[in-house]
Amino acid sequence: MSRQQGARAGTDGQVVVVTGASGGVGRATARAFGARGARVALLARGEEGLAGAADDVREAGGTALPLAVDVSDHDAVEAAADRIEKELGPIAVWVNVAFSTVFAPVREVSAEEFRRATEVTYLGFVHGTLAALHRMEPRGGGTIVQVGSALAYRGVPLQAAYCAAKHAIQGFHESLRCELLHDKSGVRVTMVQLPGLNTPQFTWVKSRLPHSPRPVAPVYQPEVAARGILYAADHPGRREYWVGGSTVGTLLGDKFAPGLLDRYLARTGFKGQQTGRDRSPSQPDNLWKPADEHHDYGAHGAFDDESSPRSHQLWASHHHGLLAALGATAAVAGAVAAGRALRHSA
């Protein structure tokens, strides 16, 4: 497989792996690849969610291979990769999305829960990346997309397990990218940093908050994230992509005024991550076992009414060349108009 084939997604039956594919961003991403005719391997734990994701991919026009896999198990991920290449063909794109976490203050999260969240969210990305590298590097091409978050840079209250794992993924990604550049490898790796999204995680995440958890506003639909991920898979030369204006604001705020952001989040971060509804004691919990084993939650969560299906920032990010050309054209036109005005006034 050539470098171009490994980096460019198309409609020619390209083989794509998506972890965490049974719900949320992974689900929306798998469907989007399916709509381009890809052969999509779906890795997740929940049988019912996987079945629904496979139906989505097929209805969109792709080929689906659902595989029940816990990404914290390295051997299981390697076995899944072997089966994917045997049944679908050489893997061209591997997208790491799967995660699990705990919503609670640090002192209320046990050491075992921190360990489990780290094994799924951080080591799951490591295991997927290693499986992809072992198969892509001998062929000289392929693309790995790490799905991150604004929280890969900026920690927030009540999400220490998640933030720490996403920070670890960021460091892992940067180290790997440097190594691939040093080796002049045909394999590309890029990362996509996401905003608050309307996904089922807030329905099934383990929580000890008094009220139901919610995404930090503004909230975007998971299809916005999926468009950003597909674009990154098509254009993996950039080290990372930011999706959503809130992601840009968070990352710039953390870069230039992190202390001020600490105080702002201390005042707003607790209330801003909870609804006004009491948390149900029967809320599912997917930390140790899948919440979608017997129920398909789909791609969307419970916040459709306030979630945006588009991001102007994402469009601008994907069309920066066009915007630069338009800006240059406007500047030239302005200079010409100014010159004419000066000649008429002389």
Side-chain angles (χ1 to χ4, degrees):
M1 178 183 297
S2 70
R3 178 181 303 179
Q4 183 176 6
Q5 288 174 316
R8 180 181 177 183
T11 59
D12 56 353
Q14 185 183 49
V15 178
V16 178
V17 180
V18 181
T19 72
S22 62
V25 171
R27 177 80 167 256
T29 301
R31 181 178 177 84
F33 273 112
R36 304 204 309 188
R39 287 173 281 174
V40 187
L42 309 160
L43 273 58
R45 295 177 297 163
E47 297 282 357
E48 193 72 20
L50 275 172
D55 288 342
D56 283 356
V57 170
R58 293 174 186 129
E59 289 171 5
T63 300
L65 176 62
L67 298 173
V69 176
D70 185 335
V71 296
S72 70
D73 184 339
H74 172 256
D75 291 340
V77 174
E78 283 287 340
D82 283 341
R83 181 176 170 186
I84 292 163
E85 297 224 324
K86 180 179 179 180
E87 296 189 24
L88 298 182
I91 297 167
V93 178
W94 189 295
V95 184
N96 285 310
V97 186
F99 77 93
S100 189
T101 188
V102 181
F103 268 94
V106 169
R107 66 178 66 86
E108 296 180 21
V109 183
S110 71
E112 291 77 12
E113 290 167 342
F114 271 116
R115 183 178 300 108
R116 173 61 178 168
T118 302
E119 288 172 347
V120 175
T121 308
Y122 170 55
L123 290 180
F125 276 53
V126 173
H127 297 159
T129 300
L130 291 175
L133 285 173
H134 293 162
R135 290 155 182 84
M136 292 176 177
E137 286 199 299
R139 295 193 288 263
T143 297
I144 302 167
V145 181
Q146 316 288 19
V147 176
S149 165
L151 306 189
Y153 287 93
R154 173 67 245 180
V156 298
L158 307 178
Q159 293 203 57
Y162 181 83
C163 293
K166 288 297 184 182
H167 276 64
I169 292 165
Q170 181 69 27
F172 173 74
H173 163 67
E174 291 170 351
S175 293
L176 174 60
R177 187 169 187 271
C178 291
E179 293 171 8
L180 294 174
L181 290 170
H182 172 270
D183 296 340
K184 296 180 173 58
S185 173
V187 178
R188 295 288 180 263
V189 61
T190 188
M191 193 162 179
V192 183
Q193 314 294 14
L194 301 181
L197 295 160
N198 176 34
T199 70
Q201 78 170 86
F202 303 97
T203 301
W204 68 31
V205 71
K206 187 175 186 65
S207 175
R208 294 195 175 92
L209 304 181
H211 300 110
S212 298
R214 58 153 294 138
V216 177
V219 185
Y220 297 87
Q221 295 288 23
E223 288 77 14
V224 174
R227 289 196 293 274
I229 292 165
L230 263 66
Y231 188 87
D234 290 349
H235 306 84
R238 194 187 300 183
R239 71 192 300 269
E240 70 177 22
Y241 291 87
W242 298 356
V243 175
S246 56
T247 299
V248 175
T250 299
L251 297 184
L252 292 179
D254 187 63
K255 181 176 179 65
F256 295 108
L260 183 62
L261 200 51
D262 288 344
R263 290 170 172 78
Y264 172 78
L265 289 168
R267 292 196 306 270
T268 66
F270 281 69
K271 184 177 179 180
Q273 295 184 84
Q274 299 180 72
T275 68
R277 302 184 303 274
D278 289 344
R279 177 175 57 84
S280 170
S282 62
Q283 176 175 318
D285 168 3
N286 80 334
L287 183 63
W288 301 102
K289 60 182 181 179
D292 55 349
E293 187 172 13
H294 304 295
H295 177 77
D296 180 16
Y297 287 86
H300 287 206
F303 304 92
D304 278 329
D305 291 346
E306 63 173 287
S307 299
S308 173
R310 62 186 59 85
S311 165
H312 299 301
Q313 175 276 333
L314 180 63
W315 186 92
S317 175
H318 293 176
H319 296 84
H320 57 274
L322 173 62
L323 293 175
L326 290 174
T329 300
V332 170
V336 171
R340 288 175 178 171
L342 286 173
R343 286 197 297 273
H344 287 306
S345 63

